[in-house]
Amino acid sequence: MPRYEKGTIHLTETRDYPLLRQIFQSAYATRAQLFEFMLLRRRERSANALKSRLTKLVNNGLVLRVVLPGIPETLYAVTEAGLDLMVIRGEPYAGRGCGVDRPQSTARHAVQLNALHLAFLRTGKLREWLPETEICSRNILADRAFAKDYDAVLSIEHVGELPVTFALEYEYSQKPDSGYQEIAIRLNREQHVDFVLYVVPTAYLYGKLAATFRHCSQPVAICLASDLCQKVFDAGVVLATEGWRMTLQELIEIRYAVKRGRTEAPLARARA
């Protein structure tokens, strides 16, 4: 007698569900990205095994293969059935942030955001990565809301007892000036992160945002995506609100010192 009824699918807690959850949170992801996520989290060791697992999820209607012009690799996104399963299992979701509600035109943004996520994950210092699905859910349903629907909110391990938490926005394309003015107003109301990091693909957008956010009361830093992916904490950032240039690690140290009420030494290094 078979253990499972004919036509049903058995998903394992240690392999299948973590993979489906990552696809759900990523909106769109390549197979190589999904394998690295699972490898770094010790959920998978074989690329072939992950390929078979993806095929099972696709064949059972939980995951969709997506082929888009200009993107050389096949992408994977959750289906309505996959989304329903995630919600049933208690994943935070309030109608925004996954592949079901994100148009395919946003796939490039999602793939680049995955690359940034993986870059931080490789360092071993990433304590928590809140994806857009969970951020949107908190902003709609919870009392402790963020100022806006960020792409992610990261908590970074620190040698002290307090982690440093920052919001990450990957700005794939430029918004109208009026849009940035509204964002600046929202950021000034932010109370739940130590700073906001805008990651941009071009030097032009880097300069544009550095000038746009220079009057924010909330610390806003700007960084090039290529630099962040390659160097992570050694990547160069500009603190737009002060005009200071430093590494991301130095900015984290400054914000940690602010949390502990000790700002003089790190601020002096930043000014230098």
PDB file of all heavy atoms in Angstrom, residues 188-210:
ATOM      1  N   ASN A 188      11.812  60.138   6.976  1.00  0.00           N
ATOM      2  CA  ASN A 188      11.995  60.955   8.180  1.00  0.00           C
ATOM      3  C   ASN A 188      11.115  60.488   9.338  1.00  0.00           C
ATOM      4  O   ASN A 188      11.355  60.874  10.489  1.00  0.00           O
ATOM      5  CB  ASN A 188      11.713  62.430   7.864  1.00  0.00           C
ATOM      6  CG  ASN A 188      12.840  63.075   7.091  1.00  0.00           C
ATOM      7  OD1 ASN A 188      13.972  62.594   7.090  1.00  0.00           O
ATOM      8  ND2 ASN A 188      12.534  64.169   6.399  1.00  0.00           N
ATOM      9  N   ARG A 189      10.127  59.651   9.028  1.00  0.00           N
ATOM     10  CA  ARG A 189       9.267  59.095  10.076  1.00  0.00           C
ATOM     11  C   ARG A 189       9.738  57.717  10.539  1.00  0.00           C
ATOM     12  O   ARG A 189       9.134  57.133  11.443  1.00  0.00           O
ATOM     13  CB  ARG A 189       7.823  59.000   9.575  1.00  0.00           C
ATOM     14  CG  ARG A 189       7.183  60.344   9.242  1.00  0.00           C
ATOM     15  CD  ARG A 189       5.672  60.222   9.151  1.00  0.00           C
ATOM     16  NE  ARG A 189       5.257  59.390   8.028  1.00  0.00           N
ATOM     17  CZ  ARG A 189       4.844  59.874   6.852  1.00  0.00           C
ATOM     18  NH1 ARG A 189       4.820  61.193   6.652  1.00  0.00           N
ATOM     19  NH2 ARG A 189       4.467  59.071   5.888  1.00  0.00           N
ATOM     20  N   GLU A 190      10.804  57.205   9.917  1.00  0.00           N
ATOM     21  CA  GLU A 190      11.278  55.852  10.235  1.00  0.00           C
ATOM     22  C   GLU A 190      11.856  55.781  11.645  1.00  0.00           C
ATOM     23  O   GLU A 190      12.691  56.591  12.032  1.00  0.00           O
ATOM     24  CB  GLU A 190      12.339  55.410   9.223  1.00  0.00           C
ATOM     25  CG  GLU A 190      12.839  53.994   9.427  1.00  0.00           C
ATOM     26  CD  GLU A 190      11.720  52.986   9.360  1.00  0.00           C
ATOM     27  OE1 GLU A 190      11.219  52.728   8.246  1.00  0.00           O
ATOM     28  OE2 GLU A 190      11.337  52.464  10.440  1.00  0.00           O
ATOM     29  N   GLN A 191      11.419  54.779  12.417  1.00  0.00           N
ATOM     30  CA  GLN A 191      11.866  54.613  13.795  1.00  0.00           C
ATOM     31  C   GLN A 191      12.434  53.226  14.085  1.00  0.00           C
ATOM     32  O   GLN A 191      12.901  52.981  15.201  1.00  0.00           O
ATOM     33  CB  GLN A 191      10.707  54.884  14.760  1.00  0.00           C
ATOM     34  CG  GLN A 191      10.133  56.289  14.674  1.00  0.00           C
ATOM     35  CD  GLN A 191       8.970  56.491  15.626  1.00  0.00           C
ATOM     36  OE1 GLN A 191       8.489  55.552  16.262  1.00  0.00           O
ATOM     37  NE2 GLN A 191       8.505  57.727  15.734  1.00  0.00           N
ATOM     38  N   HIS A 192      12.421  52.332  13.111  1.00  0.00           N
ATOM     39  CA  HIS A 192      12.728  50.931  13.401  1.00  0.00           C
ATOM     40  C   HIS A 192      14.000  50.411  12.749  1.00  0.00           C
ATOM     41  O   HIS A 192      14.306  49.227  12.854  1.00  0.00           O
ATOM     42  CB  HIS A 192      11.547  50.048  12.990  1.00  0.00           C
ATOM     43  CG  HIS A 192      10.252  50.448  13.639  1.00  0.00           C
ATOM     44  ND1 HIS A 192      10.088  50.532  15.009  1.00  0.00           N
ATOM     45  CD2 HIS A 192       9.061  50.825  13.094  1.00  0.00           C
ATOM     46  CE1 HIS A 192       8.859  50.916  15.292  1.00  0.00           C
ATOM     47  NE2 HIS A 192       8.220  51.106  14.143  1.00  0.00           N
ATOM     48  N   VAL A 193      14.751  51.280  12.056  1.00  0.00           N
ATOM     49  CA  VAL A 193      16.042  50.868  11.494  1.00  0.00           C
ATOM     50  C   VAL A 193      17.094  51.894  11.872  1.00  0.00           C
ATOM     51  O   VAL A 193      16.787  53.049  12.180  1.00  0.00           O
ATOM     52  CB  VAL A 193      15.974  50.711   9.949  1.00  0.00           C
ATOM     53  CG1 VAL A 193      14.951  49.651   9.552  1.00  0.00           C
ATOM     54  CG2 VAL A 193      15.667  52.034   9.269  1.00  0.00           C
ATOM     55  N   ASP A 194      18.367  51.477  11.833  1.00  0.00           N
ATOM     56  CA  ASP A 194      19.470  52.372  12.191  1.00  0.00           C
ATOM     57  C   ASP A 194      19.873  53.279  11.034  1.00  0.00           C
ATOM     58  O   ASP A 194      20.411  54.360  11.246  1.00  0.00           O
ATOM     59  CB  ASP A 194      20.672  51.549  12.658  1.00  0.00           C
ATOM     60  CG  ASP A 194      20.354  50.775  13.933  1.00  0.00           C
ATOM     61  OD1 ASP A 194      19.933  51.419  14.911  1.00  0.00           O
ATOM     62  OD2 ASP A 194      20.513  49.540  13.943  1.00  0.00           O
ATOM     63  N   PHE A 195      19.640  52.830   9.806  1.00  0.00           N
ATOM     64  CA  PHE A 195      19.833  53.675   8.632  1.00  0.00           C
ATOM     65  C   PHE A 195      19.183  53.003   7.430  1.00  0.00           C
ATOM     66  O   PHE A 195      18.722  51.849   7.516  1.00  0.00           O
ATOM     67  CB  PHE A 195      21.327  53.960   8.359  1.00  0.00           C
ATOM     68  CG  PHE A 195      22.170  52.747   8.030  1.00  0.00           C
ATOM     69  CD1 PHE A 195      22.385  52.370   6.711  1.00  0.00           C
ATOM     70  CD2 PHE A 195      22.780  52.011   9.039  1.00  0.00           C
ATOM     71  CE1 PHE A 195      23.175  51.273   6.401  1.00  0.00           C
ATOM     72  CE2 PHE A 195      23.566  50.915   8.742  1.00  0.00           C
ATOM     73  CZ  PHE A 195      23.760  50.541   7.427  1.00  0.00           C
ATOM     74  N   VAL A 196      19.117  53.729   6.329  1.00  0.00           N
ATOM     75  CA  VAL A 196      18.560  53.207   5.077  1.00  0.00           C
ATOM     76  C   VAL A 196      19.673  53.192   4.039  1.00  0.00           C
ATOM     77  O   VAL A 196      20.398  54.178   3.883  1.00  0.00           O
ATOM     78  CB  VAL A 196      17.381  54.079   4.583  1.00  0.00           C
ATOM     79  CG1 VAL A 196      16.851  53.554   3.241  1.00  0.00           C
ATOM     80  CG2 VAL A 196      16.273  54.119   5.626  1.00  0.00           C
ATOM     81  N   LEU A 197      19.826  52.066   3.337  1.00  0.00           N
ATOM     82  CA  LEU A 197      20.844  51.923   2.299  1.00  0.00           C
ATOM     83  C   LEU A 197      20.168  51.813   0.943  1.00  0.00           C
ATOM     84  O   LEU A 197      19.431  50.852   0.684  1.00  0.00           O
ATOM     85  CB  LEU A 197      21.711  50.686   2.554  1.00  0.00           C
ATOM     86  CG  LEU A 197      22.802  50.407   1.505  1.00  0.00           C
ATOM     87  CD1 LEU A 197      23.837  51.534   1.499  1.00  0.00           C
ATOM     88  CD2 LEU A 197      23.478  49.064   1.769  1.00  0.00           C
ATOM     89  N   TYR A 198      20.409  52.798   0.075  1.00  0.00           N
ATOM     90  CA  TYR A 198      19.940  52.744  -1.308  1.00  0.00           C
ATOM     91  C   TYR A 198      21.064  52.192  -2.182  1.00  0.00           C
ATOM     92  O   TYR A 198      22.165  52.734  -2.192  1.00  0.00           O
ATOM     93  CB  TYR A 198      19.524  54.133  -1.800  1.00  0.00           C
ATOM     94  CG  TYR A 198      18.049  54.399  -1.629  1.00  0.00           C
ATOM     95  CD1 TYR A 198      17.546  54.836  -0.408  1.00  0.00           C
ATOM     96  CD2 TYR A 198      17.152  54.188  -2.675  1.00  0.00           C
ATOM     97  CE1 TYR A 198      16.186  55.070  -0.240  1.00  0.00           C
ATOM     98  CE2 TYR A 198      15.795  54.426  -2.520  1.00  0.00           C
ATOM     99  CZ  TYR A 198      15.312  54.856  -1.302  1.00  0.00           C
ATOM    100  OH  TYR A 198      13.966  55.074  -1.133  1.00  0.00           O
ATOM    101  N   VAL A 199      20.771  51.121  -2.903  1.00  0.00           N
ATOM    102  CA  VAL A 199      21.736  50.471  -3.788  1.00  0.00           C
ATOM    103  C   VAL A 199      21.315  50.759  -5.219  1.00  0.00           C
ATOM    104  O   VAL A 199      20.152  50.543  -5.595  1.00  0.00           O
ATOM    105  CB  VAL A 199      21.781  48.952  -3.528  1.00  0.00           C
ATOM    106  CG1 VAL A 199      22.861  48.296  -4.385  1.00  0.00           C
ATOM    107  CG2 VAL A 199      22.027  48.668  -2.045  1.00  0.00           C
ATOM    108  N   VAL A 200      22.245  51.264  -6.031  1.00  0.00           N
ATOM    109  CA  VAL A 200      21.915  51.727  -7.380  1.00  0.00           C
ATOM    110  C   VAL A 200      22.849  51.088  -8.411  1.00  0.00           C
ATOM    111  O   VAL A 200      23.987  50.733  -8.092  1.00  0.00           O
ATOM    112  CB  VAL A 200      21.995  53.263  -7.478  1.00  0.00           C
ATOM    113  CG1 VAL A 200      20.972  53.914  -6.550  1.00  0.00           C
ATOM    114  CG2 VAL A 200      23.391  53.766  -7.136  1.00  0.00           C
ATOM    115  N   PRO A 201      22.399  50.948  -9.673  1.00  0.00           N
ATOM    116  CA  PRO A 201      23.227  50.300 -10.691  1.00  0.00           C
ATOM    117  C   PRO A 201      24.189  51.231 -11.421  1.00  0.00           C
ATOM    118  O   PRO A 201      25.118  50.757 -12.068  1.00  0.00           O
ATOM    119  CB  PRO A 201      22.190  49.732 -11.661  1.00  0.00           C
ATOM    120  CG  PRO A 201      21.028  50.667 -11.551  1.00  0.00           C
ATOM    121  CD  PRO A 201      21.008  51.144 -10.119  1.00  0.00           C
ATOM    122  N   THR A 202      23.970  52.551 -11.353  1.00  0.00           N
ATOM    123  CA  THR A 202      24.784  53.477 -12.149  1.00  0.00           C
ATOM    124  C   THR A 202      25.317  54.622 -11.305  1.00  0.00           C
ATOM    125  O   THR A 202      24.723  55.005 -10.291  1.00  0.00           O
ATOM    126  CB  THR A 202      23.966  54.070 -13.308  1.00  0.00           C
ATOM    127  OG1 THR A 202      22.920  54.894 -12.770  1.00  0.00           O
ATOM    128  CG2 THR A 202      23.363  52.973 -14.176  1.00  0.00           C
ATOM    129  N   ALA A 203      26.430  55.204 -11.771  1.00  0.00           N
ATOM    130  CA  ALA A 203      27.021  56.360 -11.084  1.00  0.00           C
ATOM    131  C   ALA A 203      26.086  57.564 -11.156  1.00  0.00           C
ATOM    132  O   ALA A 203      26.037  58.379 -10.217  1.00  0.00           O
ATOM    133  CB  ALA A 203      28.371  56.701 -11.710  1.00  0.00           C
ATOM    134  N   TYR A 204      25.342  57.705 -12.257  1.00  0.00           N
ATOM    135  CA  TYR A 204      24.410  58.821 -12.377  1.00  0.00           C
ATOM    136  C   TYR A 204      23.352  58.768 -11.268  1.00  0.00           C
ATOM    137  O   TYR A 204      23.082  59.772 -10.595  1.00  0.00           O
ATOM    138  CB  TYR A 204      23.722  58.816 -13.740  1.00  0.00           C
ATOM    139  CG  TYR A 204      22.573  59.806 -13.810  1.00  0.00           C
ATOM    140  CD1 TYR A 204      22.815  61.169 -13.985  1.00  0.00           C
ATOM    141  CD2 TYR A 204      21.249  59.373 -13.670  1.00  0.00           C
ATOM    142  CE1 TYR A 204      21.764  62.084 -14.023  1.00  0.00           C
ATOM    143  CE2 TYR A 204      20.204  60.281 -13.698  1.00  0.00           C
ATOM    144  CZ  TYR A 204      20.464  61.636 -13.875  1.00  0.00           C
ATOM    145  OH  TYR A 204      19.433  62.532 -13.888  1.00  0.00           O
ATOM    146  N   LEU A 205      22.753  57.583 -11.089  1.00  0.00           N
ATOM    147  CA  LEU A 205      21.720  57.447 -10.068  1.00  0.00           C
ATOM    148  C   LEU A 205      22.319  57.595  -8.670  1.00  0.00           C
ATOM    149  O   LEU A 205      21.665  58.099  -7.746  1.00  0.00           O
ATOM    150  CB  LEU A 205      21.024  56.090 -10.222  1.00  0.00           C
ATOM    151  CG  LEU A 205      19.612  55.941  -9.634  1.00  0.00           C
ATOM    152  CD1 LEU A 205      18.713  57.107 -10.031  1.00  0.00           C
ATOM    153  CD2 LEU A 205      19.003  54.619 -10.072  1.00  0.00           C
ATOM    154  N   TYR A 206      23.566  57.166  -8.511  1.00  0.00           N
ATOM    155  CA  TYR A 206      24.290  57.332  -7.250  1.00  0.00           C
ATOM    156  C   TYR A 206      24.328  58.823  -6.874  1.00  0.00           C
ATOM    157  O   TYR A 206      23.976  59.214  -5.750  1.00  0.00           O
ATOM    158  CB  TYR A 206      25.701  56.779  -7.419  1.00  0.00           C
ATOM    159  CG  TYR A 206      26.610  56.813  -6.207  1.00  0.00           C
ATOM    160  CD1 TYR A 206      26.831  55.667  -5.459  1.00  0.00           C
ATOM    161  CD2 TYR A 206      27.278  57.973  -5.847  1.00  0.00           C
ATOM    162  CE1 TYR A 206      27.685  55.679  -4.354  1.00  0.00           C
ATOM    163  CE2 TYR A 206      28.133  58.004  -4.753  1.00  0.00           C
ATOM    164  CZ  TYR A 206      28.340  56.850  -4.017  1.00  0.00           C
ATOM    165  OH  TYR A 206      29.180  56.878  -2.940  1.00  0.00           O
ATOM    166  N   GLY A 207      24.751  59.670  -7.827  1.00  0.00           N
ATOM    167  CA  GLY A 207      24.823  61.105  -7.572  1.00  0.00           C
ATOM    168  C   GLY A 207      23.452  61.728  -7.388  1.00  0.00           C
ATOM    169  O   GLY A 207      23.280  62.620  -6.551  1.00  0.00           O
ATOM    170  N   LYS A 208      22.485  61.249  -8.164  1.00  0.00           N
ATOM    171  CA  LYS A 208      21.123  61.773  -8.083  1.00  0.00           C
ATOM    172  C   LYS A 208      20.539  61.557  -6.688  1.00  0.00           C
ATOM    173  O   LYS A 208      19.995  62.491  -6.077  1.00  0.00           O
ATOM    174  CB  LYS A 208      20.253  61.080  -9.131  1.00  0.00           C
ATOM    175  CG  LYS A 208      18.771  61.414  -9.082  1.00  0.00           C
ATOM    176  CD  LYS A 208      18.486  62.820  -9.534  1.00  0.00           C
ATOM    177  CE  LYS A 208      16.993  63.079  -9.597  1.00  0.00           C
ATOM    178  NZ  LYS A 208      16.689  64.468 -10.000  1.00  0.00           N
ATOM    179  N   LEU A 209      20.667  60.357  -6.163  1.00  0.00           N
ATOM    180  CA  LEU A 209      20.078  60.066  -4.859  1.00  0.00           C
ATOM    181  C   LEU A 209      20.861  60.715  -3.725  1.00  0.00           C
ATOM    182  O   LEU A 209      20.281  61.113  -2.710  1.00  0.00           O
ATOM    183  CB  LEU A 209      19.993  58.555  -4.641  1.00  0.00           C
ATOM    184  CG  LEU A 209      19.045  57.783  -5.562  1.00  0.00           C
ATOM    185  CD1 LEU A 209      18.828  56.371  -5.054  1.00  0.00           C
ATOM    186  CD2 LEU A 209      17.714  58.490  -5.710  1.00  0.00           C
ATOM    187  N   ALA A 210      22.190  60.806  -3.896  1.00  0.00           N
ATOM    188  CA  ALA A 210      22.997  61.475  -2.875  1.00  0.00           C
ATOM    189  C   ALA A 210      22.546  62.918  -2.691  1.00  0.00           C
ATOM    190  O   ALA A 210      22.477  63.437  -1.571  1.00  0.00           O
ATOM    191  CB  ALA A 210      24.472  61.415  -3.243  1.00  0.00           C
TER     192      ALA A 210
END
